[in-house]
């Protein structure tokens, strides 16, 4: 069975759903293909911090009503080290804030707007997705639907929004550059049914290893613990998790509230960037094109940035102007590399001082000098605040 559309969007994460919504809203035909069920993607917890520019952009397209009604906002983070609290007030310095809104809530809203309100064509639980003839004017996507039938979607363009494990990236030509970086560390990512212990993000820079705290809602908090790469969840029983979180994050006047752990998984911290992000009629967006470890909470923000640009570029194409589509990859990548550089900067600050004595005392002392400059110089803090909140990152 075959369908004809203008844009086949592969993957219903934040990137694919944003592209599909914007196209649908502009009257540009598209088909959205997702390998998991709607229920699954609406319950998959991951990100939670959305930068203000992204929320404003979603709102311009009518995609942030519930977010603006219900999300909390944050304007500072706290570095905790040597038993003391040090505040980084990026909201005051940049005039921008983070919105705290769990990724699954945003995905739920975007699916509802596209499918229920907009009557958009979304096909869930597809399998064996394959892309064809991308370097011609008549590409296509084939897949097996949830009833086991072979399907084909003929289209003008493919938006490859299928994340880090998807198929789209594999269709980039051999001469596309894939820049990779491995931090050589792991993070144990945790979700606890516990109210946030602070009004800002907490960064614990500690000789036992880095730890972090980020609100997700009034009842749920995300925590991270640095661990060896390749470590397993089994080596982190609940009692050990809380002992380490208390040791690395709690300080006098800054206690950590405990609760039931509802998610526990080890992330090996690595990054990649595919350049260019376009090949023929295929344009990648989000983690299909670039992964940034969750050190600075940047991945979903970048996915939204790409998606907004890509939908805008498709719109311009159908009005007879290809300049935005031609420049799509370069425009995305300037922000991608600023965010990668910022994540690397923060990673050095977070991880270089671990172990007592540090394994590399020179790097440890450099990291401590950076931290003192961030906390002691308003000019340095202002420059960092702009990238942290994404107010200025298109250099
Ligand atoms: C623990 C954790 C915390 C994070 N915290 C933050 C944060 O606070 N802020 C932030 O900005 N980012 C954060 N991130 C990163 C963020 O979650 C991702 O960057 C974001 O999900 C990327 O969106 P995407 O749409 O590109 O990809 P995805 O969300 O991965 O969506 C891709 C979709 O494609 C589907 N798919 C895959 N293969 C196929 C296929 N072959 N065919 C069809 N569909 C397919 C997948 O099922 C998925 O639904 C965090 C990540 C993790 C793991």
């Amino acid at each position: 069975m075959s369908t004809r559309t203008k844009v086949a969007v592969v993957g219903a994460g934040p990137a694919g759903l944003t592209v599909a919504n914007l196209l649908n809203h502009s009257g540009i035909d598209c088909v959205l293909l997702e390998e998991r069920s709607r229920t699954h993607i609406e319950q998959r917890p991951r990100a939670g911090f959305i930068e203000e520019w992204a929320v404003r952009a979603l709102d311009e397209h009518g995609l942030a009503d519930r977010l603006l009604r219900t999300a909390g906002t944050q304007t500072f983070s706290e570095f905790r080290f040597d038993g003391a609290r040090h505040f980084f007030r990026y909201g005051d310095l940049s005039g921008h804030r983070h919105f705290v809104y769990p990724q699954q809530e945003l995905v739920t809203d975007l699916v509802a707007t596209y499918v229920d309100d907009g009557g958009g064509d979304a096909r869930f639980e597809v399998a064996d997705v394959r892309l064809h003839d991308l370097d011609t004017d008549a590409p296509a996507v084939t897949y097996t639907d949830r009833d086991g039938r072979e399907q084909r979607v003929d289209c003008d363009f493919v938006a490859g929004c299928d994340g880090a494990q998807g198929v789209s990236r594999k269709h980039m030509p051999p001469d596309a550059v894939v820049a990779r970086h491995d931090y050589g560390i792991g993070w144990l990512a945790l979700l606890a049914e516990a109210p946030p212990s602070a009004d800002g993000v907490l960064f614990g820079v500690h000789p036992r290893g880095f730890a972090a705290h980020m609100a997700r809602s009034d009842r749920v908090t995300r925590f991270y613990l640095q661990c060896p790469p390749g470590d397993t969840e089994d080596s982190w029983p609940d009692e050990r998790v809380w002992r380490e979180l208390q040791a690395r994050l709690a300080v006098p006047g800054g206690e950590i509230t405990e609760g039931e752990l509802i998610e526990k998984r080890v992330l090996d911290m690595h990054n990649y960037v595919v350049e260019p992000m376009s090949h023929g009629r295929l344009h990648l967006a989000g983690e299909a094109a670039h992964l940034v470890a969750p050190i600075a909470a940047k991945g979903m923000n970048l996915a939204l940035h790409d998606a907004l640009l890509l939908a805008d570029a498709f719109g311009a194409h159908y009005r007879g102007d290809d300049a935005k589509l031609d420049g799509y990859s370069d425009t995305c990548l300037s922000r991608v590399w600023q965010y990668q550089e910022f994540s690397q900067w923060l990673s050095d600050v977070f991880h270089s001082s671990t172990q007592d004595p540090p394994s590399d005392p020179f790097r440890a002392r450099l990291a401590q000098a950076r931290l003192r400059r961030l906390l002691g110089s308003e000019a340095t803090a202002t420059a960092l605040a702009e990238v942290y909140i994404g107010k200025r990152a298109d250099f």
Side-chain angles (χ1 to χ4, degrees):
M1 293 170 74
S2 76
T3 319
R4 165 84 212 162
T5 192
K6 288 196 162 78
V7 183
V9 182
V10 185
L17 284 163
T18 302
V19 172
N21 267 294
L22 267 54
L23 293 178
N24 204 34
H25 194 245
S26 310
I28 298 170
D29 263 4
C30 66
V31 172
L32 177 62
L33 302 172
E34 165 59 48
E35 68 172 6
R36 311 304 294 256
S37 69
R38 177 172 176 174
T39 310
H40 178 91
I41 63 166
E42 289 180 345
Q43 293 176 357
R44 187 170 49 195
R46 283 187 184 167
F49 271 64
I50 314 182
E51 295 164 3
E52 182 161 344
W53 63 266
V55 173
R56 299 287 166 225
L58 290 173
D59 188 39
E60 276 174 28
H61 298 283
L63 298 175
D65 292 355
R66 191 165 71 104
L67 190 165
L68 285 167
R69 265 199 326 277
T70 61
T73 58
Q74 292 197 355
T75 55
F76 70 88
S77 53
E78 215 182 302
F79 289 84
R80 293 184 171 183
F81 54 92
D82 297 339
R85 310 169 67 177
H86 308 266
F87 291 89
F88 173 39
R89 300 191 185 281
Y90 59 84
D92 293 345
L93 296 165
S94 68
H96 279 219
R97 56 206 161 135
H98 278 116
F99 285 76
V100 182
Y101 198 59
Q103 179 167 335
Q104 67 272 27
E105 299 297 332
L106 180 65
V107 164
T108 299
D109 295 350
L110 293 173
V111 175
T113 310
Y114 178 66
V115 176
D116 306 332
D117 303 343
D121 185 343
R123 305 177 187 183
F124 294 98
E125 297 172 76
V126 304
D128 196 22
V129 171
R130 292 168 197 238
L131 316 185
H132 307 272
D133 304 324
L134 295 165
D135 46 9
T136 73
D137 290 345
V141 180
T142 57
Y143 66 95
T144 307
D145 72 16
R146 65 178 135 198
D147 299 318
R149 291 173 303 200
E150 300 298 313
Q151 301 278 0
R152 178 182 174 93
V153 179
D154 292 293
C155 52
D156 299 338
F157 296 101
V158 179
C161 306
D162 47 355
Q165 311 298 331
V167 294
S168 300
R169 193 167 65 254
K170 297 176 187 144
H171 288 269
M172 297 308 282
D175 59 346
V177 175
V178 185
R180 294 179 196 281
H181 176 67
D182 188 343
Y183 288 95
I185 51 164
W187 272 17
L188 181 67
L190 303 150
L191 276 177
E193 271 189 348
S197 307
D199 292 335
V201 172
L202 305 181
F203 299 129
V205 182
H206 198 278
R208 297 172 77 102
F210 173 73
H213 153 292
M214 293 178 188
R216 281 296 184 258
S217 70
D218 292 347
R219 326 175 275 106
V220 175
T221 304
R222 188 173 273 296
F223 291 97
Y224 294 109
L225 278 169
Q226 182 185 345
C227 62
D231 207 353
T232 64
E233 293 79 10
D234 296 345
S235 54
W236 288 93
D238 295 5
E239 178 273 325
R240 182 182 177 206
V241 165
W242 287 114
R243 192 173 65 236
E244 284 301 316
L245 285 171
Q246 296 292 356
R248 300 182 196 186
L249 273 178
V251 292
E255 283 69 37
I256 295 297
T257 307
E258 300 187 8
E260 189 189 340
L261 292 170
I262 52 175
E263 187 193 83
K264 206 186 270 187
R265 67 182 170 125
V266 173
L267 309 173
D268 282 337
M269 303 295 272
H270 65 279
N271 302 328
Y272 59 76
V273 181
V274 179
E275 292 200 45
M277 289 167 53
S278 303
H279 164 59
R281 292 297 180 116
L282 170 65
H283 299 277
L284 303 180
E287 282 192 358
H290 40 73
L291 184 75
V292 48
I295 290 170
K298 291 299 191 190
M300 183 166 75
N301 288 287
L302 281 177
L304 294 172
H305 186 249
D306 293 351
L308 291 158
L309 287 171
L310 186 54
D312 185 43
F314 284 142
H317 167 84
Y318 287 109
R319 292 190 301 275
D321 177 4
D322 271 339
K324 285 183 175 171
L325 217 39
D326 293 344
Y328 166 72
S329 175
D330 286 347
T331 312
C332 294
L333 287 168
S334 61
R335 183 171 287 252
V336 168
W337 281 112
Q338 290 300 329
Y339 281 13
Q340 293 283 11
E341 192 278 338
F342 179 66
S343 297
Q344 179 67 51
W345 192 97
L346 264 190
S347 172
D348 285 348
V349 168
F350 290 165
H351 304 117
S352 299
S353 299
T354 54
Q355 294 179 27
D356 200 7
S359 55
D360 183 341
F362 187 80
R363 281 188 63 203
R365 298 293 282 149
L366 288 182
Q368 289 153 13
R370 279 182 177 181
L371 198 46
R372 286 201 307 277
R373 191 162 71 239
L374 170 66
L375 298 169
S377 152
E378 188 168 321
T380 303
T382 304
L384 261 289
E386 287 191 344
V387 191
Y388 185 45
I389 197 62
K391 182 182 173 187
R392 288 205 61 204
D394 298 316
F395 302 106

